[in-house]
């Protein structure tokens, strides 16, 4: 079975969500968060550096941020825009001080297990100050992440496992830089983490093949775009 990374995580989030999007054809567009707009601006920053072989200016970064934000003027509050600009400045200063070198910002991967194929795009790959490859995550949240959550994050496991299975030069760590606090976090993975990912992929694919699409209730249900057509949510209201 072939499954994309987005489908994989949508099923984990809620099987009903997966069913509505990929089986029944309901595609609802959500307004992106400032975090997602900032992440896209960061990728544009990396790509510009790769294309020109020199560090882009802060003016380039802000112009890209403004163009990404422009379609949502009046939808996303101006206060959020200003908060994003503050975080973007922090990112730029940190990247310049550390002389961050990103060698690939959108590498595709394919991960196979028990005949199931997972496809997606890896997080940016950088060379750190010790000349060692690592995945680089820029965290634009105002809230500091917890190390325990970072160490369990399946996406980081996917990236390291997929890269190391197809390359001779292994990546052994993912660095997460929290912009607001200017704090770096590092996480690694081992066989236990890899086995957990494989088991999750196997279970997700089995659930999809067997058409197991039950609602997974959480505190996020009230914010779900699909709640008005979700049988779980309607049942809860009734």
């Amino acid at each position: 079975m072939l499954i994309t990374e987005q489908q994989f995580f949508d099923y984990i989030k809620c099987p009903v969500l997966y069913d509505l999007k990929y089986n029944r054809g309901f595609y609802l567009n959500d307004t992106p968060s400032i975090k997602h707009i900032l992440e896209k601006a960061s990728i544009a920053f990396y790509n510009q550096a790769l294309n020109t072989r020199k560090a882009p200016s802060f003016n380039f970064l802000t112009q890209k941020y403004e163009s990404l934000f422009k379609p949502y003027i009046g939808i996303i509050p101006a206060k959020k825009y200003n908060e994003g600009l503050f975080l973007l400045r922090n990112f730029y200063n940190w990247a310049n001080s550390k002389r961050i070198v990103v060698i690939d910002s959108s590498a595709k991967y394919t991960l196979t297990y028990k005949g199931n194929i997972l496809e997606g795009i890896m997080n940016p790959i950088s060379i750190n100050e010790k000349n060692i490859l690592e995945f680089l995550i820029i965290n634009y949240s105002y809230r500091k992440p917890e190390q325990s959550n970072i160490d369990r994050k399946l996406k980081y496991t996917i990236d390291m496992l997929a890269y190391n299975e197809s390359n001779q030069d292994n990546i052994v760590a993912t660095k997460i830089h929290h912009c607001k606090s200017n704090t770096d976090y590092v996480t690694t993975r081992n066989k236990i983490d890899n086995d957990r990912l494989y088991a999750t992929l196997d279970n997700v694919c089995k659930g999809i093949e067997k058409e197991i699409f039950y609602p997974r209730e959480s505190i996020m249900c009230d914010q779900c775009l699909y709640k008005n057509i979700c049988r779980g949510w309607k049942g809860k209201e009734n």
Side-chain angles (χ1 to χ4, degrees):
M1 178 180 187
L2 174 63
I3 184 173
T4 67
E5 182 181 295
Q6 186 62 57
Q7 291 172 328
F8 175 69
F9 283 115
D10 278 343
Y11 188 89
I12 290 174
K13 184 177 181 180
C14 179
V16 167
L17 171 65
Y18 176 96
D19 186 42
L20 290 171
K21 287 178 67 175
Y22 304 106
N23 293 333
R24 302 177 186 274
F26 289 100
Y27 290 94
L28 303 179
N29 293 321
D30 193 9
T31 301
S33 65
I34 282 295
K35 173 179 173 289
H36 291 142
I37 292 175
L38 288 167
E39 288 170 351
K40 287 185 177 181
S42 299
I43 295 297
F45 179 83
Y46 301 145
N47 289 338
Q48 180 72 0
L50 285 168
N51 293 333
T52 63
R53 298 186 180 278
K54 62 179 182 180
S57 65
F58 183 63
N59 186 52
F60 168 86
L61 191 57
T62 54
Q63 286 181 352
K64 191 63 184 178
Y65 174 57
E66 287 171 1
S67 68
L68 290 166
F69 183 86
K70 189 174 181 179
Y72 307 103
I73 292 176
I75 300 173
I76 299 177
K79 179 183 177 182
K80 290 291 184 181
Y81 171 85
N82 293 330
E83 289 174 353
L85 203 57
F86 164 75
L87 294 172
L88 210 60
R89 169 62 78 176
N90 283 1
F91 161 71
Y92 182 81
N93 291 340
W94 172 80
N96 270 357
S97 67
K98 296 292 184 179
R99 296 186 177 180
I100 297 300
V101 178
V102 172
I103 63 171
D104 202 327
S105 63
S106 57
K108 295 180 180 179
Y109 73 82
T110 299
L111 195 62
T112 303
Y113 180 68
K114 289 186 177 180
N116 297 314
I117 302 172
L118 179 65
E119 291 185 340
I121 296 176
M122 298 180 192
N123 279 309
I125 301 170
S126 69
I127 302 176
N128 65 19
E129 56 272 20
K130 296 181 180 178
N131 204 35
I132 297 174
L133 290 176
E134 62 187 8
F135 286 104
L136 177 63
I137 314 297
I138 306 301
N139 186 319
Y140 286 110
S141 173
Y142 259 56
R143 184 176 181 178
K144 291 182 71 172
E146 294 184 11
Q147 185 69 49
S148 59
N149 291 335
I150 291 172
D151 291 339
R152 290 196 303 268
K153 199 170 181 68
L154 282 174
K155 172 56 178 167
Y156 303 160
T157 309
I158 290 172
D159 285 349
M160 276 190 269
L161 185 57
Y163 183 91
N164 294 339
E165 282 195 349
S166 58
N167 294 273
Q168 293 181 345
D169 49 341
N170 285 358
I171 294 181
V172 298
T174 295
K175 176 182 288 183
I176 300 92
H177 178 71
H178 185 248
C179 281
K180 186 175 186 297
S181 64
N182 195 33
T183 305
D184 289 340
Y185 299 81
V186 175
T187 185
T188 59
R189 292 296 184 269
N190 55 34
K191 186 178 183 300
I192 294 174
D193 298 307
N194 294 342
D195 289 345
R196 172 174 167 256
L197 169 61
Y198 282 139
T200 305
L201 176 59
D202 188 42
N203 288 334
V204 166
C205 290
K206 285 179 179 177
I208 294 171
E209 288 174 339
K210 294 179 180 180
E211 300 183 355
I212 301 174
F213 303 120
Y214 57 89
R216 179 170 288 141
E217 294 188 40
S218 74
I219 58 173
M220 301 302 294
C221 286
D222 187 46
Q223 302 175 34
C224 180
L225 291 176
Y226 295 84
K227 68 179 184 181
N228 291 329
I229 54 175
C230 173
R231 64 180 185 274
W233 181 259
K234 286 183 177 179
K236 187 175 181 180
E237 283 187 331
N238 293 335

